[in-house]
Amino acid sequence: MTALASQPPPCPPAGPGPGSVGLLERGSALELLAAEARRAVAGSGRMVLLRAPTGTGRSALLEAASELGVKLGMRVLRAHASAESSGIPLALVSQLLDPAHEIGGLLGDTPEAPQHLAHASRLWQLLCVYAAGSPLLVAVDDVHLADQASLRWLTEGARRLTGMPVLMVVTERGQYDIAPPAPGLAFSLPPAVVRVHAVGPLSRGAAEEFVRGTLGPDTGDTWVDGCVRAGAGNPLLLRALLDDLRTVFPHGGRAGAGDGGGPEPGLPQNCAELYPGAFVAAVSWWLRSAGTGSTLVARALAELEDSARYGEEGQAPLDGPGPGPAEHEGPGHESGDDFTDFLSELTRADPDRVGGWVTAMVRLGLLRRAPGSGVPRFAHPLLRGAVLDGWPRSHRQALHLRAAELRQRRGHGVEAVAGHLLRTTPGGTERVAKALLDAAADASRAGRTGAAAHYLRRVLDEPLSSERRAAVLTELGELEFATLRTGGIPRLAEALRLRQAPRERVLAAVALGSALADRGKPRAALDVLRELGPLDGEPVLDRTVQTASAFFSDHDPEIRRAVYTRLRERAERSPEWISPALRALLIRYESTAGLLSAESAMRQIRRLLTAPEDPLLVPYLLGEAASVAQWADAADDAERLVRSGLTEHWVSALHPAHRSLLSTRMDTAAARGRHRWVLEETAGRLRMPGGSARTGASSFLAHRVVALVECGRSAEAERLVAGVDVSEGQDGWEQNRFLYARGVLRASVGDPAGALADFLECGRRQTGRDVRSPVVTPWRSAAAECHLLLGQTPEALALAEEENRYAAVWDTPRVRGRALRVLGAATGGRRGLGLTAEAVAVLRGMSLDVELIPALITHGLQLTAAGQSRSARPLLREAATAAERLGAVRLSGRAELALRTSGARRRNTSLTGSGSLTAGERRVATLAADGRTNAEISELLHLARRTVETHLTSTYRKLAIRRRGDLPAALNSVTDAAT
């Protein structure tokens, strides 16, 4: 290498760009260099030490100093220290002065006498010779990598520069690392002989300027922010990132920049998307410069954050990567000091050095502290990914294994421990399996089924006994039943194959059968039970199989008829064999077939509930008893039985009685007019795993459709039923429920012909299942009302009379009142008027407003038609008030219309104050008092804005207020008085 400076490179462009980023915001350093260079030219030299972290532009400043020296007529001597030559004495100085070219002529040495090259004094003499010829600028880069002899030569030389036309410009890495640093070059020098200048990262403004200067001034703010965070104000990293981005996105991150336009592309979040790899290489260089200790801590922090990102962002997919260790106690979930202490112990590093390193990296912009907790995190996913790039998987797994052990010793939660174990190599100890199982239990109890499933899947990778594996598979199958499209069937099938004991095999077969039946495969479910073979000597297990078979048969009319025929025959031959649960099944069957009265059914059910029953069969008994109680208008009994089945007996989602209990709870709420509760309860049950809507007919869908209709949201209900295919191959009870609900919807939107088709099809299918009583779906009454709307009175009368006959058999107020109402409407005349009056009398006082309201409306309309409007109006006003109290928008509208038909509008309430508000007015007023605008209230309650304004106007009048701001106090008032 020649000692003379080569021609300087072209000056960097004036505007920001890849070549000039190293000099952005470096004005003070350039001014210092210029002043010291002029001082040296004048004959008074000194050393300038530029200290800066890796990548912040030390070399760029050194190059600028060299160019400045050339302009001032100085001779520039350059050298660059390296780790490879740090063991060779005076290697840096020899590179700087190139003695092989000059020293022989000066000292009379020959190539045969190279021993003089080792003498520092001779090299100093050579420097003096150069200085005598012209002022010198000695530029040394990365002096921290120099050999010790060269360092001594430079420090000693710095002391002699006074009075010499020599400026030494030296760059030194100055960054906080985990390993304690060696003394720097200026450590032993007095301030008079050295000027130390620290170089920091770029400010945000400078970094943004550089990004827009490189990618274009119209680069979107999202891209600029992402680049600035990923570059962390480090010129090396920022330039490398922009080089990659310009290759991946030649048109830049601008909306419409590519051919054909389009939205702004998203900034990559994964280093794999940065194809050239300049950014990853720059981060790797930064890590190598920091040393092995800092690299390990940085990678450990990145790995912990990478595994925790799903829990922090709340995005953990049910069948994707599991929750990280930090989901409960990692980054973002514990204090910054605690986490730093954990990180130091995990990496076996000095806690003080780790804490200092974190603080330094936050100042440099590579890390940020999480709001609230102060836990350090990398400034951008690209930066985190680049730190992890190339780190062997085995090293990452070993880190998580140690982290799990450390968290367990520290007493952290079981899920914090298990989160690390998810990322370790399978095939561990019994302790690993136990920790994962404990975490699954905790997550399941907390309702985090996705996390629980992840833990159980990982447990299956551990060595387990057959029985324990079967238990894990069953538990996992239950979780996947609700979260995966497979319904957990493969897991449950494998569990059944592993079971050996008869009891466990029966329970496994029942669970698998439940999953198959739920997926529309009742025949396959029954085949699973048949394959168990004879259960001689196990009467309880035999009864369990027969009871489960009856539940599964509800999904297929042909199988159902055959199963119940065998049960009834066996009950006649061997009544002692029929347990209470099986007897309850037969009572339910006979109730729906129109063979029993409600009084007789409930008497038998109550007797069965007091009889001894095996725990295996109790949930089936409770499910059947709850259904019969709900049909018999014993709503309180039904709700009590449902609670007992779901909570006290821990009926799981895979138990055949589970869906029956849930459906009964919905039926009871609907019978009481709790439509909004039904909507809340069914909202999450109509979603498939992944968030997509379920497309098949179901009982939950039927309940939601009817509730939407009653709440005046028919348009939303129509969107729900659109595309649902009730094919001939699906004749289960849930499909029939859906047909009835769709008929209700079609009738509400003015399509009596379509509604009639649905009701008649529902009836055909129900009859095929031997379900003739109106306790389940009163399709005859609904179809009769459609016939009346279509002017087909004889057909309506025939259906109404048949319904009335079955209602008389069951003989409860609800079914009798409904049947009498429709029969009266179909009969007409004086007899019809008497029938509807009887319907009102039967229903009044039974807390059955859902049926009483239409009976009042029908009777009121008949009175109006008979010229008795004065008698009709109180009934219609009663109906309107009751409908409004329930929030039954559809019935409320019908009552108001009937009132107008009678020649009168509904009278204003006789009360003032908050107690006088209708249910609708109170809902609107409460939202307005909470600060909601009329538009927001309209959207939330699915009301027209005009309706909201009308409710508020009425509310202001009743509460005697004039402003919206007075609503909170008025609604909370307890001094309302009757006028």
Side-chain angles (χ1 to χ4, degrees):
M1 159 180 184
T2 178
L4 295 174
S6 59
Q7 289 297 319
C11 293
S20 65
V21 65
L23 299 180
L24 279 174
E25 294 189 322
R26 303 297 183 244
S28 59
L30 294 173
E31 290 175 4
L32 172 64
L33 290 170
E36 293 299 324
R38 288 192 295 269
R39 188 172 183 270
V41 170
S44 182
R46 192 153 47 186
M47 175 184 283
V48 174
L49 178 63
L50 301 173
R51 299 193 68 207
T54 300
T56 48
R58 297 190 310 265
S59 298
L61 279 172
L62 194 64
E63 186 61 33
S66 300
E67 294 172 9
L68 178 62
V70 171
K71 290 179 182 178
L72 293 176
M74 303 176 77
R75 183 178 183 181
V76 179
L77 305 179
R78 290 188 177 91
H80 192 149
S82 66
E84 290 76 15
S85 61
S86 61
I88 304 173
L90 292 175
L92 177 67
V93 181
S94 298
Q95 179 192 153
L96 181 71
L97 298 173
D98 196 7
H101 181 72
E102 302 263 356
I103 202 169
L106 178 66
L107 302 175
D109 294 333
T110 65
E112 287 76 22
Q115 63 273 16
H116 297 290
L117 297 178
H119 296 286
S121 60
R122 305 297 175 86
L123 293 171
W124 178 254
Q125 292 176 25
L126 179 58
L127 178 72
C128 292
V129 171
Y130 287 156
S134 80
L136 293 180
L137 190 146
V138 178
V140 179
D141 205 5
D142 290 344
V143 73
H144 54 283
L145 299 176
D147 61 277
Q148 290 299 313
S150 293
L151 288 174
R152 286 193 297 272
W153 189 91
L154 288 171
T155 54
E156 184 61 29
R159 299 174 188 273
R160 302 179 184 181
L161 292 181
T162 304
M164 294 181 64
V166 178
L167 173 64
M168 284 188 180
V169 182
V170 181
T171 72
E172 182 179 59
R173 181 178 179 275
Q175 184 171 306
Y176 197 103
D177 297 318
I178 298 300
L185 183 65
F187 177 75
S188 60
L189 292 175
V193 302
V194 61
R195 294 289 304 276
V196 179
H197 183 84
V199 181
L202 299 177
S203 68
R204 182 175 182 86
E208 290 179 352
E209 177 187 355
F210 181 64
V211 172
R212 285 201 162 94
T214 303
L215 299 180
D218 55 344
T219 302
D221 290 342
T222 302
W223 263 59
V224 172
D225 177 70
C227 290
V228 170
R229 287 192 293 115
N234 186 299
L236 170 70
L237 303 185
L238 192 55
R239 178 167 47 222
L241 174 63
L242 296 177
D243 285 346
D244 281 346
L245 290 175
R246 287 192 300 175
T247 303
V248 178
F249 299 97
H251 299 288
R254 304 184 298 279
D259 297 337
E264 174 184 321
L267 182 71
Q269 301 291 298
N270 191 314
C271 288
E273 300 178 62
L274 300 179
Y275 171 70
F279 181 70
V280 172
V283 173
S284 298
W285 171 257
W286 178 84
L287 289 173
R288 285 197 298 273
S289 300
T292 56
S294 297
T295 298
L296 177 59
V297 171
R299 282 175 165 166
L301 174 59
E303 175 62 21
L304 293 179
E305 183 185 343
D306 186 60
S307 12
R309 68 190 187 276
Y310 298 98
E312 289 182 2
E313 298 168 8
Q315 297 175 350
L318 294 176
D319 53 350
E327 182 174 346
H328 309 289
E329 298 190 50
H333 296 270
E334 58 186 342
S335 72
D337 291 341
D338 288 344
F339 179 74
T340 302
D341 184 53
F342 173 78
L343 184 63
S344 64
E345 191 171 353
L346 179 64
T347 55
R348 297 183 174 92
D350 183 346
D352 293 333
R353 297 299 301 178
V354 172
W357 180 83
V358 167
T359 300
M361 295 307 102
V362 170
R363 185 184 65 81
L364 291 177
L366 284 97
L367 298 180
R368 293 185 174 190
R369 293 193 181 275
S373 67
V375 170
R377 297 185 295 190
F378 280 92
H380 194 274
L382 284 175
L383 192 54
R384 180 185 65 230
V387 168
L388 288 173
D389 189 79
W391 201 29
R393 180 177 175 82
S394 59
H395 292 189
R396 298 166 77 160
Q397 291 177 332
L399 178 84
H400 281 295
L401 184 60
R402 175 166 167 75
E405 295 170 350
L406 179 58
R407 285 195 183 276
Q408 197 165 43
R409 285 204 310 270
R410 287 173 164 238
H412 291 179
V414 290
E415 286 197 73
V417 175
H420 289 292
L421 294 176
L422 288 173
R423 292 168 177 83
T424 59
T425 304
T429 62
E430 174 70 17
R431 184 166 52 85
V432 171
K434 183 180 184 306
L436 290 166
L437 287 172
D438 289 344
D442 272 17
S444 185
R445 280 192 293 268
R448 293 190 302 274
T449 56
H454 283 301
Y455 299 135
L456 293 176
R457 292 186 193 110
R458 177 62 179 77
V459 171
L460 292 175
D461 293 331
E462 299 296 326
L464 302 170
S465 66
S466 295
E467 285 301 309
R468 193 170 189 184
R469 181 173 294 276
V472 173
L473 285 165
T474 300
E475 188 176 352
L476 179 57
E478 181 178 334
L479 293 174
E480 292 182 348
F481 173 72
T483 58
L484 294 185
R485 294 181 184 276
T486 61
I489 292 172
R491 309 285 189 187
L492 298 169
E494 185 180 353
L496 176 58
R497 286 195 295 271
L498 293 173
R499 294 294 191 184
Q500 298 297 323
R503 178 187 173 91
E504 300 305 320
R505 283 186 54 77
V506 166
L507 293 178
V510 169
L512 176 57
S514 289
L516 289 167
D518 183 78
R519 291 303 187 267
K521 301 176 180 178
R523 294 180 183 273
L526 291 170
D527 287 343
V528 168
L529 297 182
R530 277 195 290 268
E531 288 170 5
L532 291 171
L535 293 166
D536 298 334
E538 298 284 353
V540 173
L541 297 182
D542 190 18
R543 293 188 188 103
T544 300
V545 170
Q546 296 303 321
T547 308
S549 299
F551 270 80
F552 299 156
S553 72
D554 276 342
H555 296 271
D556 187 289
E558 183 179 339
I559 299 175
R560 184 178 189 271
R561 189 180 297 110
V563 166
Y564 278 98
T565 297
R566 287 197 301 270
L567 268 180
R568 296 176 75 187
E569 291 174 352
R570 188 158 189 179
E572 291 176 1
R573 290 196 316 268
S574 308
E576 72 284 352
W577 183 86
I578 300 296
S579 70
L582 284 169
R583 179 65 64 186
L585 272 171
L586 291 174
I587 292 171
R588 186 190 70 164
Y589 171 83
E590 292 172 354
S591 297
T592 58
L595 303 175
L596 277 181
S597 68
E599 182 181 1
S600 174
M602 283 303 296
R603 185 170 57 250
Q604 296 181 62
I605 285 294
R606 289 191 177 101
R607 188 166 56 248
L608 293 175
L609 289 171
T610 61
E613 179 59 287
D614 189 272
L616 275 183
L617 293 165
V618 169
Y620 297 98
L621 172 60
L622 294 174
E624 300 309 287
S627 295
V628 174
Q630 192 276 321
W631 296 334
D633 294 346
D636 291 341
D637 289 340
E639 288 184 339
R640 177 178 54 80
L641 292 167
V642 168
R643 281 196 303 272
S644 177
L646 293 177
T647 57
E648 296 174 20
H649 294 274
W650 299 101
V651 174
S652 72
L654 280 175
H655 197 287
H658 183 263
R659 199 170 186 90
S660 174
L661 289 165
L662 292 180
S663 183
T664 299
R665 186 168 63 180
M666 295 281 184
D667 288 341
T668 306
R672 287 178 158 171
R674 298 172 58 196
H675 303 304
R676 295 192 181 279
W677 182 90
V678 171
L679 292 178
E680 293 173 2
E681 188 71 11
T682 56
R685 298 186 182 276
L686 300 179
R687 311 301 301 175
M688 291 291 288
S692 60
R694 291 185 183 270
T695 56
S698 71
S699 175
F700 297 128
L701 177 59
H703 276 295
R704 186 169 185 82
V705 168
V706 173
L708 287 170
V709 170
E710 296 301 335
C711 290
R713 294 158 59 179
S714 296
E716 186 177 342
E718 286 184 292
R719 289 193 295 272
L720 271 181
V721 305
V724 176
D725 179 26
V726 186
S727 64
E728 288 294 332
Q730 295 178 319
D731 276 354
W733 65 276
E734 296 197 74
Q735 287 73 27
N736 297 345
R737 281 281 186 94
F738 171 77
L739 279 169
Y740 179 81
R742 191 171 66 181
V744 171
L745 169 62
R746 287 176 170 174
S748 73
V749 297
D751 180 17
L756 178 61
D758 277 340
F759 292 138
L760 293 177
E761 177 61 16
C762 173
R764 184 189 69 79
R765 295 188 180 200
Q766 291 288 58
T767 303
R769 290 163 41 84
D770 290 338
V771 177
R772 294 179 172 83
S773 175
V775 296
V776 182
T777 48
W779 63 270
R780 297 182 190 85
S781 293
E785 290 184 293
C786 291
H787 277 304
L788 289 174
L789 289 173
L790 294 170
Q792 301 164 356
T793 303
E795 292 86 345
L797 188 58
L799 285 172
E801 288 174 342
E802 186 179 6
E803 183 90 325
N804 192 47
R805 286 195 297 273
Y806 280 111
V809 173
W810 186 245
D811 198 24
T812 60
R814 183 158 39 127
V815 296
R816 280 190 56 224
R818 183 196 307 122
L820 287 169
R821 169 179 62 82
V822 177
L823 180 59
T827 302
R830 177 173 293 183
R831 182 169 180 270
L833 195 58
L835 289 170
T836 54
E838 185 182 355
V840 171
V842 166
L843 292 165
R844 196 186 294 280
M846 298 297 297
S847 299
L848 296 171
D849 285 352
V850 169
E851 294 297 340
L852 175 61
I853 294 168
L856 289 168
I857 294 172
T858 302
H859 188 48
L861 287 173
Q862 285 189 319
L863 287 171
T864 300
Q868 303 177 42
S869 299
R870 186 180 297 273
S871 300
R873 290 168 192 160
L875 298 174
L876 297 175
R877 289 194 183 99
E878 180 185 353
T881 301
E884 194 166 45
R885 185 173 59 249
L886 282 179
V889 177
R890 182 181 70 90
L891 290 176
S892 180
R894 286 184 58 194
E896 294 289 353
L897 180 61
L899 269 172
R900 287 194 292 272
T901 302
S902 71
R905 296 183 60 82
R906 184 181 169 205
R907 291 186 303 185
N908 292 330
T909 179
S910 60
L911 298 177
T912 59
S914 63
S916 68
L917 300 179
T918 65
E921 289 168 347
R922 181 172 291 278
R923 282 193 299 272
V924 171
T926 301
L927 290 172
D930 288 341
R932 303 277 190 175
T933 66
N934 288 3
E936 290 173 332
I937 297 171
S938 172
E939 183 176 354
L940 283 169
L941 298 182
H942 301 276
L943 298 173
R945 190 178 300 188
R946 177 85 175 189
T947 304
V948 173
E949 294 168 354
T950 301
H951 279 323
L952 285 175
T953 300
S954 176
T955 300
Y956 293 164
R957 177 183 57 77
K958 291 180 179 180
L959 299 181
I961 61 175
R962 294 185 178 183
R963 295 185 302 274
R964 205 182 193 96
D966 296 333
L967 276 171
L971 290 174
N972 292 330
S973 173
V974 295
T975 60
D976 297 333
T979 58

